[in-house]
Amino acid sequence: MRRLIWAALLLAAIVVPFGAYVRLSHAGLGCPDWPGCYGRISPSHATDSIRHAQALAPDGPVSLGKAWKEMLHRYLAGSLTLLILLIAWRAWREKRLRRPASLLLALVAVQAMLGMLTVTLLLRPAIVTSHLLGGMAVLQVLGWMAMSQGLAAVEASHALRRLSGALVASLLLQVALGGWVSSNYAALACQGFPACNGQLWPALRFDQAFHVFRELGEAPDGSLLTQASLITIHWMHRLGALLVSLLVLSVLGAGWRCRALRLHLACLAAAWGLQVCLGVANVMWQLPLPLAVAHNGCAALLLMTALLLLSRLGAPAGQERRLPAAAPVWGRVSRPGEGR
């Protein structure tokens, strides 16, 4: 089981950034149908159809190279699905890790549906962002299954536990904002850093920017999405990064006195620092593809580090809640020296 989980985790760590690579290289519609490519099992079997579509629209989303990128992502995701099915089967057979394994199965089912809708609905931003969040969720659950048992629990103050919980919540929000930026192609709406197009606080327009039910590049009424809306999407992602940074620094300050957490906190600080540098570099260097994909992968790493930190933190012994005398204690494990 442990080997299966680690194999699935490593494969998921490839699938999620590779999905970002497919999207950022404009290959998301390299095969305009699902699950095959022009009804065939691979682009090599659909070469004639792909060349015909490319001849009709030379600058369109279809080409043989883009088709292979899209299908390779599907092959990897299909392999990951098979591994997760095997993990779930063993979990139920061995009566352990049933809940996270069942959660993985549910996530994979939702991901398959979102993958289909991503293509059939022509990269609608809400679907693309949901697909990204689903992939991140699969990766986080696998990471927790693989590593949480090997990390020692640490008694922590109430303040540190609350700050760590707030950090995980803010990172989830930031990943969603990052997906919204990417799916709306708003990464270059703000030029320069820390200012945006020469302004320390640009003019924002929220009525169109975060409207969910709309097509790619369009406002809810069907008109073209305004530049102000794209700037708003980008700027909110920057504000989210500021919130995450403040919470990371707060967690580091509150937990550094605990020696047992210092290595974990150092990893958190390193992942956060790398992610900030990648974000700034993407803006300053006009979104080079390798850095954009690395930004996606580092976001997953930062979220996993924060989530594992939160899972390690427990209340000090003197602050544990005791059950009332009349409360049922079914399933409670007695401690040494405690009456049964």
Side-chain angles (χ1 to χ4, degrees), residues 111-128:
Q111 277 295 89
M113 180 187 68
L114 290 173
M116 176 188 67
L117 293 176
T118 296
V119 175
T120 57
L121 295 181
L122 304 178
L123 306 181
R124 183 173 291 186
I127 302 298
V128 174

Side-chain angles (χ1 to χ4, degrees), residues 236-261:
M236 292 307 296
H237 186 55
R238 289 198 189 185
L239 293 181
L242 177 60
L243 174 62
V244 167
S245 298
L246 292 175
L247 285 171
V248 167
L249 294 174
S250 298
V251 168
L252 292 175
W256 195 254
R257 289 172 294 180
C258 179
R259 291 183 178 273
L261 288 176

Side-chain angles (χ1 to χ4, degrees), residues 160-186:
L160 179 56
R161 286 183 285 124
R162 291 190 65 177
L163 284 170
S164 298
L167 175 59
V168 170
S170 68
L171 282 169
L172 290 172
L173 175 61
Q174 182 67 351
V175 169
L177 286 171
W180 196 247
V181 169
S182 180
S183 61
N184 283 280
Y185 297 94

Side-chain angles (χ1 to χ4, degrees), residues 183-208:
S183 61
N184 283 280
Y185 297 94
L188 297 179
C190 280
Q191 301 289 318
F193 183 87
C196 173
N197 302 327
Q199 296 178 307
L200 291 177
W201 190 273
L204 305 178
R205 181 174 179 178
F206 288 92
D207 58 328
Q208 297 179 359

Side-chain angles (χ1 to χ4, degrees), residues 4-13 80 83-84 87 100 104 136-148 304:
L4 282 173
I5 292 172
W6 272 101
L9 174 60
L10 293 174
L11 184 54
L80 177 60
L83 276 177
I84 289 174
I87 289 170
L104 279 176
M136 285 284 187
V138 170
L139 185 58
Q140 300 306 313
V141 174
L142 285 168
W144 182 87
M145 293 174 71
M147 289 181 278
S148 63
M304 187 177 297

Side-chain angles (χ1 to χ4, degrees), residues 29 32 50 52 79 114 116 125 128 153 172 221 224 270 275 297 320 331:
L29 295 178
I50 293 172
H52 178 68
S79 301
L114 290 173
M116 176 188 67
V128 174
L172 290 172
D221 60 0
L224 290 178
Q275 183 69 343
E320 290 180 352

Side-chain angles (χ1 to χ4, degrees), residues 144-329:
W144 182 87
M145 293 174 71
M147 289 181 278
S148 63
Q149 301 302 316
L151 294 174
V154 176
E155 293 182 357
S157 66
H158 183 62
L160 179 56
R161 286 183 285 124
R162 291 190 65 177
L163 284 170
S164 298
L167 175 59
V168 170
S170 68
L171 282 169
L172 290 172
L173 175 61
Q174 182 67 351
V175 169
L177 286 171
W180 196 247
V181 169
S182 180
S183 61
N184 283 280
Y185 297 94
L188 297 179
C190 280
Q191 301 289 318
F193 183 87
C196 173
N197 302 327
Q199 296 178 307
L200 291 177
W201 190 273
L204 305 178
R205 181 174 179 178
F206 288 92
D207 58 328
Q208 297 179 359
F210 295 97
H211 197 285
V212 176
F213 302 104
R214 58 178 176 80
E215 302 293 334
L216 175 62
E218 295 183 2
D221 60 0
S223 61
L224 290 178
L225 198 64
T226 63
Q227 183 67 15
S229 297
L230 295 176
I231 290 173
T232 302
I233 293 170
H234 183 112
W235 190 252
M236 292 307 296
H237 186 55
R238 289 198 189 185
L239 293 181
L242 177 60
L243 174 62
V244 167
S245 298
L246 292 175
L247 285 171
V248 167
L249 294 174
S250 298
V251 168
L252 292 175
W256 195 254
R257 289 172 294 180
C258 179
R259 291 183 178 273
L261 288 176
R262 284 187 179 177
L263 179 58
H264 199 139
L265 291 174
C267 293
L268 177 69
W272 164 71
L274 177 60
Q275 183 69 343
V276 170
C277 291
L278 287 171
V280 174
N282 273 302
V283 172
M284 300 303 293
W285 295 343
Q286 301 292 302
L287 202 68
L289 185 57
L291 289 184
V293 174
H295 193 52
N296 178 277
C298 194
L301 177 62
L302 179 57
L303 177 57
M304 187 177 297
T305 307
L307 185 62
L308 289 172
L309 174 65
L310 180 61
S311 70
R312 295 183 65 185
L313 303 181
Q319 296 182 14
E320 290 180 352
R321 292 184 178 180
R322 298 184 178 275
L323 292 173
V329 292

